[in-house]
Amino acid sequence: MTGRFYAVVGPSGAGKDTLMEAAAARLPGLHLARRVITRPANAGGEDFDGVSEAEFDARLAAGDFALHWAAHGLRYGVPATVDTVLAQGHPVLCNLSRAVLPQAMARFPGMAALHVTARPEVLAERLADRGRETVEDIARRLARQGAALPEGLAVHEIDNSGALDEAVTRLLALLQPART
């Protein structure tokens, strides 16, 4: 039996990483794909491997990534080791850009997307709390529409505007088939 790959998508500030970490704490065997990003390792935020552009290029050339893309001036990679986890029958959650979803669908047949959202005022507050962007940058980010979700992709909506536990409960319910 193989595990299922879940692409976790949504706007910045929706709480994707927080939701994923809370779900993993409650569901043994749930694997969170740790992304490789061309950002300093001490930049804060999600748990990731920070690498230089040169190291990213070397890892890409070596075939170390199952998926890779560029967004917001950074490059992102999902380690190919997720294949081993899936082969062991474990579900995998991975924070992905919408732009890489077609590539992910081809790479992981049967993949589903978990579209995490939050009300605009909640997003604005969370982005401001991070302290990485100006008020103007946040306004531009909130006004920007994300790429459309590909046709044929199973998409499940999770509103993470309220209590985290409510969103975690919804997420775990969606993963229920993966636990059988």
Side-chain angles (χ1 to χ4, degrees), residues 45-84:
E46 70 179 282
D47 192 18
F48 68 97
D49 291 332
V51 298
S52 67
E53 287 282 342
E55 185 175 346
F56 192 95
D57 287 338
R59 291 181 69 173
L60 180 60
D64 288 353
F65 300 131
L67 299 169
H68 62 92
W69 68 97
H72 312 296
L74 300 170
R75 294 168 68 198
Y76 298 79
V78 176
T81 54
V82 298
D83 292 329
T84 302

Side-chain angles (χ1 to χ4, degrees), residues 6-157:
Y6 292 89
V8 181
V9 298
S12 294
K16 298 178 296 289
D17 293 310
T18 301
L19 180 60
M20 291 167 55
E21 289 168 11
R26 289 179 44 185
L27 180 58
L30 178 61
H31 179 79
L32 305 183
R34 182 179 168 112
R35 301 187 304 178
V36 175
I37 307 174
T38 55
R39 173 168 63 199
N42 62 357
E46 70 179 282
D47 192 18
F48 68 97
D49 291 332
V51 298
S52 67
E53 287 282 342
E55 185 175 346
F56 192 95
D57 287 338
R59 291 181 69 173
L60 180 60
D64 288 353
F65 300 131
L67 299 169
H68 62 92
W69 68 97
H72 312 296
L74 300 170
R75 294 168 68 198
Y76 298 79
V78 176
T81 54
V82 298
D83 292 329
T84 302
V85 175
L86 291 167
Q88 293 169 344
H90 299 289
V92 173
L93 295 182
C94 186
N95 183 343
L96 291 182
S97 166
R98 291 177 191 211
V100 78
L101 289 175
Q103 180 185 348
M105 289 173 67
R107 181 74 167 70
F108 301 107
M111 177 188 92
L114 304 173
H115 184 221
V116 181
T117 62
R119 293 186 311 273
E121 64 273 15
V122 173
L123 295 174
E125 181 179 332
R126 290 176 182 166
L127 291 171
D129 288 347
R130 288 181 184 176
R132 290 189 281 200
E133 297 174 294
T134 67
V135 172
E136 294 80 16
D137 291 338
I138 292 171
R140 276 193 296 275
R141 184 181 287 272
L142 293 176
R144 186 174 60 225
Q145 299 249 344
L149 297 172
E151 294 214 13
L153 176 62
V155 179
H156 306 282
E157 299 287 333

